[in-house]
Amino acid sequence: MQAPRPFKRAAGGIGISMAMLPVCAGGALAQEDIRVVPDRGQTVMDRSRPEVDPVGVRIGSFRLDAAAFAGVGYDDNLLGTSTNKLGDGFVEEGARASLVSDWTVHQLGVRAGIVNRTYFNEGNFDWTDWNASAFGRYDFGGDTSVNAAYTHSRLHLAPQSVDVQQAGLAEPVPYNVDQFDVGGTTRFNRVTLGMSATYAMYRYDNVPGPGGNVSVYDYDALTLRLDTGYEFVQGRSITLGIRYQDLKYQDSASSDRDSQTWAALAGFRYDFDGVWAARIAIGYAWRDYDGPQFKSLGTPAVEANVTWNATALTTLNFTASRSIQESIRNTTASYVSNYAQIRADHELLRNVIISGWAGIGGQEYQQPTQRATDLIFGAQATWLMNRNLALSLEYRYVDRVSATGGLQEYDENVVMLRLRAAL
């Protein structure tokens, strides 16, 4: 499983749905004078640091936030192979911006971001991801609201992923996603009710090499969601979610991949008491295909996120997911994706944040039967030099410790030094 990147693949499956921080020029006493007691329940990465946070730009009742970064790094295994490894250094640069209303009710905003990676020698591995979105929310009093959003994303599948390797490809696979979201939430006494719909259009770019005609796997996905919760104690609720997804492939040659998926998840939500927060749901997902050659796929579905503020300076976070995702292989239509990660963020100094994470991920195919399991480790240190500048050093290690059915094991090291400037 490919380690997390600045832009993640938009959700094509069903079942699952940094602040950088500057040195205060005095001694320890001066730091204590300006230290703000964190609000109850705030994590290390989310809390406000007025003396070092970028202030943004006020434009009427809107706030503009923007940042740009540039960095250099090295990846020692661009293809994710166990032998004849190909490594190369790279330059990565990017920017992001948002303009969001600061109204007491309702909301309107736009966001955009871009990340570009250019390798020193292996130019066919270069990629550029970007996205842009517009969104809004209308509030009917304090308990009811409706929202809508449109997002266009330019993303890529990495060469190290099982799906790309088994499709016979040896470079990034770019694709576009146009996604439309509408939804609403309301509350009746102790009961909350939410309904939403997402329509997403996935369009792949063809790439060189055998199996590179991946545009035949372009598809549209309609996902409907119904979520309800009962708050039996303030901040603590039991929840139930129902999901339905309808997939339609655009090329007639791939129409046998069309599918319908149902999922039901039950769980609980525990809002911050200042120390803990949790949202956990477990259920089952079932997918039927139009083509008789594809077996129906049933699997447990998981959505989990648990946060623990162990101390005022340390936050631990656990996430887990299990869902069905689409495949670009000609022998199978989809696979089951698993991931679990624990992350620790620690405020070493007021302007120095250190983070570390460990995760395990996997892909499960049923046609043919294949399994791959990855261990993922990472660490990052961020020095907030002042309100506008931050310097970070990041290291990531991936080890495919298990692979069956002809899949190959590999390990990969990536290191990157990045400088960020923000308004």
Side-chain angles (χ1 to χ4, degrees), residues 18-25 34 49-55 350-352 382-391 419-423:
M18 324 194 171
M20 298 179 176
L21 312 173
V23 180
C24 192
I34 62 172
R49 296 174 174 84
E51 76 283 7
V52 297
D53 288 340
V55 297
R350 183 60 174 169
N351 63 325
V352 177
T382 301
W383 172 32
L384 300 172
M385 304 162 68
N386 54 46
R387 281 187 182 277
N388 305 112
L389 296 176
L391 186 67
L419 178 66
R420 187 208 66 183
L423 293 177

Side-chain angles (χ1 to χ4, degrees), residues 78-79 86 88 117-119 121-127 159 170-174 207-208:
L78 297 175
L79 286 169
L86 177 65
D88 197 7
R117 179 175 291 188
T118 304
Y119 288 90
N121 300 308
E122 305 297 334
N124 55 319
F125 290 92
D126 295 351
W127 52 263
E171 59 183 67
V173 179
V207 295

Side-chain angles (χ1 to χ4, degrees), residues 219-241:
Y219 67 93
D220 295 347
L222 173 64
T223 305
L224 305 177
R225 306 175 189 86
L226 174 64
D227 293 284
T228 186
Y230 177 77
E231 188 177 47
F232 58 91
V233 176
Q234 185 175 7
R236 305 176 190 181
S237 304
I238 56 174
T239 61
L240 175 65

Side-chain angles (χ1 to χ4, degrees), residues 239-315:
T239 61
L240 175 65
I242 304 296
R243 313 280 190 265
Y244 170 76
Q245 186 179 73
D246 183 73
L247 295 181
K248 296 291 185 184
Y249 280 78
Q250 299 303 294
D251 194 301
S252 59
S254 301
S255 61
D256 53 356
R257 292 170 172 253
D258 293 353
S259 65
Q260 299 77 43
T261 306
W262 287 92
L265 300 99
F268 67 91
R269 182 176 66 244
Y270 181 97
D271 287 332
F272 265 119
D273 58 5
V275 179
W276 289 93
R279 285 170 172 77
I280 297 176
I282 299 174
Y284 199 80
W286 183 268
R287 173 172 290 189
D288 289 314
Y289 299 94
D290 285 4
Q293 72 272 34
F294 296 118
K295 299 178 182 178
S296 296
L297 176 58
T299 181
V302 177
E303 301 174 353
N305 190 306
V306 180
T307 301
W308 175 34
N309 281 331
T311 73
L313 301 178
T314 304
T315 298

Side-chain angles (χ1 to χ4, degrees), residues 5 55 94 116 125 140-141 152 186 196 201 203 208 223 279-280 283 287 290 303 309 336 348 353 365 373:
R5 295 186 181 276
V55 297
N116 177 76
F125 290 92
F140 300 90
H152 177 83
T186 190
S196 64
M201 299 178 290
R203 301 293 184 264
T223 305
R279 285 170 172 77
I280 297 176
R287 173 172 290 189
D290 285 4
E303 301 174 353
N309 281 331
V336 176
L348 183 64
I353 307 298
Y365 295 85
T373 302

